[in-house]
Amino acid sequence: MTYDASAREDRGAVPAAGGERTFWGRLASWAPYRALVQLATATPRRQFLILAALPVLWVLTQHLGPMLQMLRVSLTDAYPVAVGTEQHFTFDNYLRFFGDRLFWMPFFRTLGFAFVFTLCTLILTYPVAYFLARHVSPKNRMLLLLMLLIPFWVGEIVRTYAIMILLGNTGAVNLVLKWLGLIDRPIPFMYTSFSMGVGIVYLTALYMLLPLYSALEKLPKSLNEAAADLGAGAWTRFRRVTLPLTIEGISSGCTLVFLISTGFYATPVLLGGPSTTVFAETIAGFFHVAGDEWPTGAAFAVIMFLAALILTTLFQKLMTSLRKGDAK
């Protein structure tokens, strides 16, 4: 069989059913277009810039942009500005936080809750990630991961209401305890720090599980086997081999969960009570009133963001020092 090279055409230039080339076919065979594509993708650096352009644009406009706008609003005396009124920049919105101790309690409570909930999430999800990565066969691993991911396909509000149904006075937990004869009357789980903690741990478990699973899956089994051959017990192998080599996953998971926990609003409102008011509720209160309080709410949001960022940066530095210490 002979092959006619002149009859070969680019895939994008295949003639349409009527015998004419499609628009994309004509464009692909157009000499200026070919020259432009070759010029834009001539080096790996240019290829990377083309691929990264849209994600970088998205981050700048959808993430960094609103944050900068929030910072600008926090430095104004009123927002939006009334017609005929001149806008002035001021630091009074930040001084209001430091000058009134009433706002300190929900602020530090939020940071404390975030720390405790992050620790609880780590303790609960580490064994699950370890079991998936070390004791489940590769052919069943993805199926189990999919089963764990399914609840996270629905929104935060729906999952929060699921926790409310579970912990309510007539919920599954109280019904089971009553059926077992352990209680005579329902235990008031709802609207406490316990119910809010259960909800937040449930909502953030995925962000801890995936980094831990990734770190544990990359861990060679031969290292534990070598430690066992040298006489190390199960606890010693975990403490001296597994845990130090998964610090990176622990660091990533804890950072994600802590940052997310500091910003939860709907879950504390639905599951918490008066004694569990978090800083996000305080911030939202300023945006629920007239516009002259919006700069104060923006300033408080910036303070919360900076505090969480500073704490996570210090935590990352601590984890880095631990990794370097283990490497030595």
Side-chain angles (χ1 to χ4, degrees), residues 10-34:
D10 292 335
R11 181 176 299 178
V14 175
E20 297 182 358
R21 289 182 177 181
T22 63
F23 168 78
W24 297 111
R26 293 193 300 270
L27 180 63
S29 60
W30 189 35
Y33 173 79
R34 288 176 175 272

Side-chain angles (χ1 to χ4, degrees), residues 282-295:
T282 303
I283 295 172
F286 291 108
F287 289 96
H288 290 164
V289 295
D292 58 350
E293 293 289 352
W294 286 19

Side-chain angles (χ1 to χ4, degrees), residues 195-274:
S195 61
M196 188 179 71
V198 171
I200 291 180
V201 169
Y202 171 58
L203 293 173
T204 58
L206 178 66
Y207 302 101
M208 183 72 75
L209 177 65
L210 293 182
L212 291 177
Y213 169 78
S214 178
L216 287 165
E217 188 184 26
K218 297 175 183 178
L219 185 64
K221 294 184 177 180
S222 58
L223 296 178
N224 279 297
E225 294 173 354
D229 292 339
L230 294 174
W235 170 246
T236 303
R237 294 197 301 271
F238 174 77
R239 183 171 55 88
R240 301 294 298 274
V241 179
T242 304
L243 190 61
L245 294 178
T246 56
I247 285 182
E248 185 174 354
I250 295 173
S251 176
S252 300
C254 289
T255 300
L256 286 173
V257 172
F258 182 84
L259 290 175
I260 295 172
S261 298
T262 57
F264 269 123
Y265 171 72
T267 300
V269 169
L270 294 174
L271 296 178

